[in-house]
Amino acid sequence: MTLRVRLTVWYTAVLAVMLVLYGSAVYLLLSYTVVSQIDEQLDQAAEVVRLAFQRDIEGIVLPPMALNLASNVFVQVWDTEGELVAQNLTMMDGAFDPQALLTPAKRYSNVLIDGAPLRVLTYPLYTVSENQLIGFLQLASSLDTVVRARQSLLFVLVVGSVLAVAGAALIGYSTASTALRPLDRVTETALRITRADDLSRRIPMAGPPRDEVGRLIVAFNETLERLDVLFETQRRFMADVSHELRTPLTAIRGNVDLIARTGEADAETLRAVSSEVERLTRMVKDLMLLTQAESGNLPLAQDEVEIDTLVLEVFHQAKVLAPEGVELRLGREDQARVRGDRDRLKQVVLNLVANALDHTPAGGTVTISLDCLQEWARLTVSDTGSGIPPEELPHIFERFYRVDRARRRTALGGAGLGLSIAYWITLSHGGRIDVASEPGQGSTFAVWLPLLSGACT
Ligand code: ADP
């Protein structure tokens, strides 16, 4: 059952139940009120007749029938022997309600005489002095008008209710259809997007963006946007990985082919193969680390790390790797402690220093410094190297991004993953990394890490 049919059924069923309850209440109230009025009339008539009896009773005496009774009230007077003493209509032989004459109590009853409905009041008559039962008074009034009024009311209520329910069902269905039509459009577009496998499509906004459907469309489009970006990233990633893997694999294959052809493996060929295998291994490790870091699952130690000692260690290590003519210097060095994973942080600094050394020509300088700024430890690696063009700057932290794609790979450099890794490790430590660069002048990379409280001197 569709949503619109379900809504209509619910809506109509609730209305129908309410109409039945309301109709029944009106019907019962009307019947009660009208019958009460008749009872009251009978009561008054009984009182008139009874008073007439009391005035001259010594046994049963016929009451004067020219009493001021309501015109539609019929009266019978019965003695205790079951004999009709008097009545104000001539054609009745029996009592209006013979059953009621058996017990001396005031009683109202409904009877049917020759198909005509009557309301009957039976009233016992007593002698004034001895309080002795001398007979019964039976008064009857026609219920014809009541029955007709009830029938008309029932007809109006039933026909009105049926029409109201049918109208409500029609209006409810068309309202639900109108309200849900935009949802159909959303579904159709979503299906078309799925069929065409085209995540760049968006659902056009038909109504106001703040209503339920509008919000659904906005949310759906945002999801599409996100999926589109994710798939594009994924696609680019796969293309980059394949591309990056191909070069070392081609080199390995060439060398292995050479060994197979010549039948001997000289030391240089083996070294070349080993170096390419090492590069592959490093790339795979880097990719795994990136994947873990991006999904927030990078396992990180939570040690107290003395950054100044770490900087010193990298300095000594990198000094050996510095190319001829490039000076590696230590700048300002505050003592600072942060919480985190020492090995990972060292990897960050090493990556930055290796990049700086790699992009600084002979005669240039690379400086590592560490200082504290409020709650942050700021570690900078600046060089007087080639610098990075401003249009490239926003991309250098992306995976596989290299400013000069054709650039020779160095032992420390690589597939364009170093800065991404540095970025994600810093981020995982609650810090950030930024860069300032001037082409031809040099670059400065700054890693900001949250200090342990009071951990800077
Ligand atoms: P790679 O493995 O190629 O070094 P990175 O992710 O470490 O990759 O760096 C991305 C790109 O940023 C590099 O290809 C390089 O062009 C540029 N880059 C990084 N550091 C520097 C620097 N200190 N000076 C100039 N360019 C740099």
Side-chain angles (χ1 to χ4, degrees):
M1 208 194 285
T2 61
L3 181 58
R4 67 199 64 188
V5 173
R6 251 183 301 158
L7 278 176
T8 313
V9 168
W10 265 107
Y11 179 70
T12 317
V14 169
L15 183 74
V17 169
M18 280 168 62
L19 281 175
V20 166
L21 289 178
Y22 178 74
S24 309
V26 169
Y27 183 83
L28 290 175
L29 193 71
L30 178 106
S31 304
Y32 176 79
T33 314
V34 179
V35 172
S36 297
Q37 268 175 11
I38 291 180
D39 288 351
E40 212 173 295
Q41 220 172 29
L42 289 175
D43 255 345
Q44 281 169 3
E47 193 62 13
V48 172
V49 176
R50 204 175 57 79
L51 286 176
F53 269 110
Q54 277 176 359
R55 250 182 268 130
D56 65 341
I57 198 128
E58 202 55 75
I60 297 283
V61 177
L62 280 177
M65 272 303 164
L67 288 170
N68 187 21
L69 298 178
S71 61
N72 57 347
V73 175
F74 310 114
V75 186
Q76 287 182 331
V77 183
W78 294 87
D79 66 15
T80 46
E81 305 300 309
E83 288 295 323
L84 181 63
V85 179
Q87 66 173 338
N88 69 347
L89 73 169
T90 46
M91 60 280 189
M92 279 285 298
D93 310 330
F96 296 128
D97 184 2
Q99 283 294 316
L101 298 179
L102 301 177
T103 36
K106 182 182 175 187
R107 175 176 165 188
Y108 296 98
S109 51
N110 293 334
V111 295
L112 209 63
I113 293 174
D114 296 337
L118 291 178
R119 181 76 171 168
V120 176
L121 166 64
T122 307
Y123 203 98
L125 293 170
Y126 295 94
T127 54
V128 184
S129 47
E130 290 151 44
N131 219 1
Q132 189 192 336
L133 183 72
I134 52 171
F136 292 92
L137 202 57
Q138 266 199 343
L139 300 101
S141 178
S142 169
L143 280 176
D144 219 25
T145 46
V146 178
V147 170
R148 260 186 282 120
R150 270 190 198 152
Q151 277 170 351
S152 310
L153 181 69
L154 198 64
F155 177 78
V156 169
L157 284 176
V158 170
V159 172
S161 299
V162 168
L163 285 179
V165 168
L170 269 177
I171 293 170
Y173 186 79
S174 76
T175 312
S177 298
T178 315
L180 294 176
R181 198 163 303 131
L183 275 187
D184 286 342
R185 272 204 299 275
V186 173
T187 315
E188 264 167 42
T189 319
L191 285 175
R192 249 185 278 133
I193 289 170
T194 314
R195 273 189 231 114
D197 215 359
D198 180 5
L199 286 174
S200 64
R201 290 195 193 185
R202 298 289 173 268
I203 299 173
M205 185 69 76
R210 293 254 51 89
D211 69 3
E212 287 79 354
V213 177
R215 289 210 305 273
L216 175 74
I217 294 177
V218 169
F220 196 82
N221 282 343
E222 277 171 10
T223 309
L224 281 177
E225 182 84 47
R226 179 100 186 91
L227 281 178
D228 200 11
V229 171
L230 274 179
F231 277 119
E232 179 54 27
T233 314
Q234 201 73 4
R235 199 196 54 72
R236 244 191 15 237
F237 177 69
M238 291 307 288
D240 287 341
V241 170
S242 329
H243 182 78
E244 293 302 327
L245 289 182
R246 210 171 46 212
T247 324
L249 283 175
T250 313
I252 293 171
R253 183 153 176 216
N255 282 311
V256 171
D257 280 353
L258 186 70
I259 294 170
R261 240 184 299 121
T262 56
E264 57 182 66
D266 61 87
E268 200 183 326
T269 318
L270 285 179
R271 214 177 307 117
V273 171
S274 157
S275 133
E276 294 302 333
V277 168
E278 207 176 288
R279 182 184 302 284
L280 278 178
T281 315
R282 202 169 57 226
M283 201 195 301
V284 171
K285 259 209 285 193
D286 284 354
L287 281 173
M288 274 179 65
L289 187 146
L290 267 178
T291 314
Q292 282 178 317
E294 282 176 24
S295 60
N297 293 325
L298 182 65
L300 283 180
Q302 291 296 324
D303 303 325
E304 267 192 38
V305 183
E306 289 178 352
I307 296 282
D308 44 304
T309 331
L310 187 142
V311 165
L312 221 60
E313 230 174 270
V314 174
F315 173 72
H316 290 304
Q317 224 169 311
K319 216 162 171 56
V320 189
L321 302 169
E324 272 293 309
V326 179
E327 190 191 351
L328 182 62
R329 271 201 219 144
L330 260 185
R332 172 176 174 159
E333 222 210 340
D334 288 348
Q335 286 184 332
R337 271 177 296 132
V338 299
R339 184 160 300 285
D341 192 313
R342 193 170 202 283
D343 290 344
R344 297 288 182 220
L345 290 173
K346 189 169 170 185
Q347 195 176 355
V348 172
V349 191
L350 260 175
N351 272 348
L352 296 180
V353 174
N355 274 349
L357 290 174
D358 210 20
H359 291 90
T360 307
T365 324
V366 172
T367 313
I368 318 175
S369 352
L370 174 66
D371 59 350
C372 303
L373 278 174
Q374 289 159 3
E375 289 96 55
W376 297 92
R378 182 179 62 174
L379 189 154
T380 50
V381 178
S382 44
D383 62 60
T384 56
S386 57
I388 303 163
E391 65 277 11
E392 309 275 359
L393 272 182
H395 303 291
I396 56 167
F397 295 105
E398 289 171 14
R399 278 188 295 201
F400 295 115
Y401 196 86
R402 283 192 302 246
V403 173
D404 180 1
R405 299 225 131 216
R407 206 168 173 278
R408 161 190 71 90
R409 292 202 182 89
T410 63
L412 274 174
L417 294 174
L419 283 182
S420 300
I421 290 175
Y423 172 86
W424 279 104
I425 291 179
T426 314
L427 207 72
S428 308
H429 279 81
R432 65 178 198 278
I433 186 166
D434 54 38
V435 57
S437 188
E438 186 77 28
Q441 302 289 311
S443 321
T444 299
F445 285 84
V447 175
W448 300 76
L449 292 167
L451 276 173
L452 276 175
S453 52
C456 188
T457 46

